[in-house]
């Protein structure tokens, strides 16, 4: 995670560039059971990812 010149947090994954952070955070990854990516697309140079997080433990 990094911070851009406007003060917004950005997150990058692997070879993908950094994108603005959605703002929801957990203290530990063990709080997340499963993440399902439901859709992703590139439009006008921007990546949008839609996902669902399972709350069951």
């Amino acid at each position: 995670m990094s911070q851009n010149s406007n003060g917004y947090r950005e997150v990058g994954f692997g070879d993908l560039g950094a994108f603005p952070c959605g703002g929801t955070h957990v203290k530990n990854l063990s709080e997340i059971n499963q993440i399902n990516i439901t859709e992703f697309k590139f439009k006008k140079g921007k990546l949008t990812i839609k996902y669902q997080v399972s709350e069951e433990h």
Side-chain angles (χ1 to χ4, degrees):
M1 188 171 356
S2 61
Q3 192 168 2
N4 69 19
S5 61
N6 294 321
Y8 294 106
R9 290 177 294 198
E10 294 182 328
V11 179
F13 298 96
D15 293 334
L16 296 174
F19 292 91
C21 174
T24 302
H25 300 271
V26 295
K27 290 182 181 180
N28 190 299
L29 289 177
S30 67
E31 296 179 42
I32 299 173
N33 184 33
Q34 183 173 352
I35 298 174
N36 295 312
I37 296 174
T38 58
E39 180 182 346
F40 64 93
K41 63 182 174 181
F42 284 99
K43 185 175 181 180
K44 297 183 180 180
K46 294 186 180 181
L47 173 65
T48 301
I49 301 173
K50 293 184 180 182
Y51 58 91
Q52 293 180 328
V53 177
S54 172
E55 295 181 18
E56 297 176 17
H57 287 277

